[in-house]
Amino acid sequence: RSFYVKPGDNKTPELTIINGEKLKKMVVMIGSHIDDEYVNTPVVDIFGNVSNAYGYALDNTLVNVEVNGVPANVEKKAFSTANIPLTEGANRIKVTARAEGFKPDEDEITLNLDTVPPVITIAAPADRQLITDSSFSVSGSVDETPYLVNVTTGEHTWYARLDGRNFSVSINREDLVPGYNTLEVTARDL
């Protein structure tokens, strides 16, 4: 499991005076996603932590947390909200926490919605090419930088070697059945 440490000055929390009122420091932090993360679902759940400056729950204090203006559920140190809609491309997620006697705090990240599948171009082998060598290469490119490309035929799956947007994999002819074989190339960008 990964986590994100919110940058800070690591100093002992001090009181802040706003309009003559002494306010204690609170910290809100998004834990469900990291900044500039790519997702492929148009609706996400956002959760994280809200606490005093020492990491403890805000005792006997009514805490209000909003995610992009939508009220979140708060229980002890955790907040959560479901079904935050995203649009294709970059989406700003802003969490704001308020509590009586505390200085409000915010955390923001960008989530990138990418629902468009990558486009694959197969360079080799050619369609209906006769394979006579003991092994051959399946190669091509993807219009987006993929993190996974696999080639499947029948019961066999091979994971391609990636070089930026290009891929290649070597296949032994003995792994195929005599006659026509269909190769399926799949690329994942998320």
Side-chain angles (χ1 to χ4, degrees):
R1 183 122 178 112
S2 62
F3 61 92
Y4 176 77
V5 176
K6 186 175 178 181
D9 58 12
N10 295 326
K11 294 180 181 176
T12 304
E14 298 176 12
L15 293 177
T16 301
I17 300 176
I18 298 178
N19 295 330
E21 184 180 358
K22 292 182 181 179
L23 301 175
K24 297 177 234 168
K25 184 176 179 181
M26 71 169 7
V27 177
V28 65
M29 186 170 56
I30 299 169
S32 55
H33 300 277
I34 60 172
D35 191 30
D36 207 27
E37 180 179 342
Y38 280 79
V39 297
N40 59 6
T41 56
V43 176
V44 294
D45 297 342
I46 303 294
F47 58 85
N49 294 315
V50 59
S51 65
N52 67 16
Y54 299 103
Y56 296 107
L58 304 174
D59 295 330
N60 301 321
T61 306
L62 181 60
V63 179
N64 294 307
V65 176
E66 292 182 349
V67 178
N68 288 2
V70 176
N73 297 320
V74 179
E75 187 174 323
K76 296 186 180 179
K77 289 179 20 176
F79 72 86
S80 65
T81 187
N83 302 320
I84 298 296
L86 304 176
T87 58
E88 195 72 23
N91 293 266
R92 202 75 188 138
I93 304 295
K94 182 178 180 180
V95 176
T96 305
R98 293 179 182 83
E100 189 176 329
F102 287 85
K103 179 182 175 191
D105 194 35
E106 296 177 344
D107 194 12
E108 291 186 51
I109 61 170
T110 297
L111 293 181
N112 301 287
L113 177 61
D114 182 2
T115 60
V116 179
V119 176
I120 302 166
T121 302
I122 299 173
D127 193 25
R128 299 187 177 273
Q129 179 179 335
L130 177 63
I131 304 295
T132 56
D133 295 334
S134 61
S135 68
F136 65 98
S137 178
V138 175
S139 62
S141 61
V142 182
D143 71 335
E144 301 178 47
T145 303
Y147 81 85
L148 175 70
V149 174
N150 40 347
V151 177
T152 304
T153 182
E155 296 179 8
H156 297 283
T157 299
W158 296 268
Y159 295 95
R161 184 178 42 131
L162 299 174
D163 182 11
R165 293 182 178 180
N166 299 314
F167 67 89
S168 64
V169 63
S170 181
I171 297 177
N172 292 321
R173 193 174 73 173
E174 65 190 34
D175 291 333
L176 305 175
V177 296
Y180 285 106
N181 288 269
T182 300
L183 294 174
E184 180 180 322
V185 179
T186 306
R188 293 204 48 183
D189 62 343
L190 292 177

